[in-house]
């Protein structure tokens, strides 16, 4: 928001004063991050219950005299914005402020923390505890309010439905033990593994958000059900498929329990060590073809967001240089690009009950940040960015690359480890010959990272030198017209004459790699026309079968 918008916003909040979705604090030089987290949870939950888009925590206002007094809380912009990550690390699900607005008021600096309403069906916790408001006071979120939020989507959430005939005998013992370990690991700062292992199974399942009042749900069976209990979800196939394509072909289906089977599917992927050799260096950089965390993040996202009502399965297709993940149902909230920068906060989920249970079991480390983490992980490994394909209206396909597309791009990431993710994403589009937005092209050109004309951008000379890839750069940049014209006239001087095919053979391999075959062909034709009009060469053959010689 602009300063002109923030001033009336603050005046309006002060006029209505503190309530369930607004809290004022003077907050002089510092304020407890833990207390901020509690207010974040409370205001997010209350905003959800009251149908408000946001809650507000305001620093720099004296709550006794209701006047602006200013605050010195985190005056450095970078440190102030780092609070977003601190909140995200301890909020469950992992979301953070929609924005932190800084208002330069006449009476002092004011900070307005804009807190998104809790997503439909999912209350927000801080360090495992749910908070709420009773008027102006901070309090625990009662079970009645928790149930009110969760009931918002239960009727339409396929994964939240109770399987009345299912019992605890339908659960896999190994999966249950793994679930307890994962839950204890998530809450290791306040619960020991021994405590979690000692809970009665119904108690654990309820605390892990897998059951409703002790009743087994479809989410319970998907994550922990034994293979023999899959029929209880019929006709909806609870299944993942790994398919190998290429010189060798194979496939395997994986059923319940998904908590264990995702790792088994990952182990089918052929994950060898790859070497990237920086030019003019003797020591290669070794990286695995695929990072386990990235693959499992992608696979768990497929499970969490699958539209199970479409009776399809999650499919992982392994090709020689990539993995393609496909799940049923369109991209549910927003677009992938909105999540890459880590600023998009999902407001709704297709399967909120399943998603929350997976978060409790540490299967989904981030909700809304997972896509960004996968992109950043690929950049750290010097590999191309993942690609999303949403061309099918009721399916999402995501590709993770297991090899180098353009060695210059990978060498660039090895040498320039401080590149912002936005620039890495833009350079990734350059290496894949994808359209580049004008704004990104202008930014990269200004930074000296790319050259060329739209749409044929390529790595610049400056970066090529920094990454020891001058040869790659020269092959992409090509030479000027005078260089190619001299090649033609020198050839004719020695050979006497040449057909168009011979001229093509002479030049095509020397033209810029940034040009398409059609563009190369047109360039050769333009060079010949230019030399003919200048009186330097002549066609002694026909128009269709030219024979070129030096002009007399």
């Amino acid at each position: 928001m602009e300063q002109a918008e923030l001033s009336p916003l603050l005046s309006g909040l002060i006029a209505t004063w503190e309530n369930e979705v607004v809290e004022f604090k003077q907050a002089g030089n510092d304020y407890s991050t833990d207390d901020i987290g509690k207010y974040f949870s409370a205001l997010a939950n209350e905003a959800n219950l009251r149908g408000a888009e946001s809650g507000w925590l305001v620093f720099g206002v004296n709550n006794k005299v209701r006047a602006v007094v200013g605050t010195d809380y985190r005056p450095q912009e970078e440190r102030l914005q780092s609070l977003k990550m601190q909140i995200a690390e301890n909020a469950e699900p992992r979301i953070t402020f929609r924005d932190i607005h800084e208002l330069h008021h006449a009476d002092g600096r004011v900070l307005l923390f804009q807190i998104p309403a809790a997503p439909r069906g999912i209350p927000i916790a801080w360090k495992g505890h749910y908070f709420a408001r009773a008027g102006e006071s901070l309090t625990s979120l009662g079970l009645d309010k928790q149930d009110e939020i969760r009931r918002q989507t239960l009727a339409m959430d396929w994964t939240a439905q109770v399987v009345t005939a299912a019992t605890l005998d339908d659960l896999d013992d190994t999966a249950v033990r793994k679930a307890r370990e994962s839950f204890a690991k998530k809450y290791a700062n306040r619960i020991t593994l021994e405590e979690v292992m000692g809970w009665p199974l119904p108690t654990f399942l309820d605390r892990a958000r897998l059951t409703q009042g002790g009743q087994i749900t479809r989410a319970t069976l998907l994550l922990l059900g034994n293979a023999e209990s899959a029929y209880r979800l019929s006709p909806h196939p609870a299944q993942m498929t790994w398919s190998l394509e290429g010189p060798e072909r194979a496939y395997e289906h994986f059923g319940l329990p998904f908590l264990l089977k995702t790792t088994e599917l990952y182990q089918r992927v052929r994950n060898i060590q790859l070497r990237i050799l920086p030019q003019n260096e003797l020591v290669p950089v070794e990286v695995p073809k695929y990072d386990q965390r990235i693959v499992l993040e992608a696979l768990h996202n497929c499970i969490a967001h699958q539209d199970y009502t479409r009776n399809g399965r999650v499919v992982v297709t392994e090709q020689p240089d990539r993995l393609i993940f496909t799940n049923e149902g369109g991209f549910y909230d927003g677009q992938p690009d909105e999540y890459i920068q880590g600023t998009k906060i999902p407001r709704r989920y297709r399967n909120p009950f399943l998603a929350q249970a997976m978060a409790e079991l540490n299967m989904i480390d981030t909700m809304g940040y997972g896509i960004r983490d996968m992109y950043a992980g690929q950049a750290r490994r010097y590999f191309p960015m993942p690609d999303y394909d949403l061309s099918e209206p009721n399916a999402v396909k995501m590709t993770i690359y297991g090899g180098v597309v353009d060695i210059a791009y990978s060498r660039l990431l090895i040498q320039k480890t401080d590149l912002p993710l936005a620039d890495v994403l833009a350079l990734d589009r350059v290496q894949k010959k994808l359209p580049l937005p004008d704004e990104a092209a202008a930014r990269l050109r200004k930074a000296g990272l790319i050259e060329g004309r739209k749409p044929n951008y390529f790595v610049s000379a400056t970066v090529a030198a920094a990454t020891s890839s001058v040869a790659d750069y020269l092959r992409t940049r090509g030479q000027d017209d005078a260089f190619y014209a001299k090649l033609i006239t020198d050839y004719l001087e020695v050979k006497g004459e040449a057909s168009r095919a011979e001229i093509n053979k002479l030049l095509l391999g020397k033209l810029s790699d940034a040009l398409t075959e059609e563009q190369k062909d047109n360039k050769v034709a333009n060079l010949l026309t230019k030399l003919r009009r200048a009186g330097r060469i002549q066609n002694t053959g026909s128009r269709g079968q030219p024979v070129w010689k030096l002009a007399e």
Side-chain angles (χ1 to χ4, degrees), residues 336-379:
D337 289 350
E338 298 179 83
Y339 292 89
I340 294 171
Q341 296 300 331
T343 56
K344 170 72 175 179
I345 298 173
R347 293 293 307 277
R348 57 200 179 100
Y349 302 92
R350 176 177 283 115
N351 307 309
F353 193 86
L354 174 62
Q356 187 169 28
M358 292 178 70
E360 294 293 320
L361 300 185
N362 242 356
M363 295 180 73
I364 300 179
D365 293 329
T366 59
M367 295 176 70
Y369 291 91
I371 292 177
R372 175 184 170 84
D373 287 349
M374 286 188 289
Y375 276 70
Q378 284 291 90

Side-chain angles (χ1 to χ4, degrees), residues 525-537:
N526 291 336
L527 284 167
L528 292 171
T529 300
K530 193 174 181 180
L531 287 170
R532 179 180 59 78
R533 288 176 177 173
R536 298 177 63 186
I537 64 173

Side-chain angles (χ1 to χ4, degrees), residues 478-494:
Q479 303 292 332
D480 58 24
D481 286 357
F483 171 82
Y484 299 118
K486 191 170 190 313
L487 284 179
I488 295 173
T489 56
D490 285 352
Y491 185 88
L492 294 178
E493 185 175 350
V494 174

Side-chain angles (χ1 to χ4, degrees), residues 8 18 24 41 43 52 56 77 105 119 160 170 186 242 275 289 372 406 509:
E18 290 186 346
F24 293 96
S41 168
L43 294 168
W56 295 92
E77 176 67 17
H105 192 275
D170 288 297
K186 180 179 178 66
W242 165 78
R275 292 185 171 190
K289 190 173 184 180
R372 175 184 170 84
D406 180 354

Side-chain angles (χ1 to χ4, degrees), residues 237-242 252-254 258 265 298-308 312-317 324-328:
Q239 196 173 74
M240 303 175 291
T241 295
W242 165 78
E252 186 171 348
H253 300 303
F254 298 85
F258 282 173
L265 188 152
L299 187 52
H300 291 165
N301 280 345
C302 288
I303 293 170
H305 301 297
Q306 169 93 336
D307 185 351
Y308 293 93
R313 60 169 66 97
V314 172
V315 178
V316 179
T317 304
I324 303 173
F325 298 79
T326 307
N327 68 271
E328 292 290 331

Side-chain angles (χ1 to χ4, degrees), residues 430 433 436 441 445 450-459 514:
V430 171
K433 309 299 182 187
L436 189 64
R445 191 185 297 279
I450 62 169
E451 292 181 15
R453 294 183 179 180
K454 183 180 180 178
N456 299 311
Y457 298 114
F458 51 88
V459 176

Side-chain angles (χ1 to χ4, degrees), residues 29 72-83 100 102 109 111:
N29 295 326
D72 291 326
Y73 177 80
R74 297 197 181 190
Q76 304 87 359
E77 176 67 17
E78 183 176 347
R79 186 162 177 259
L80 177 62
Q81 294 301 324
S82 70
L83 181 64
I100 302 176
E102 188 172 13
R109 172 175 176 257
L111 297 176

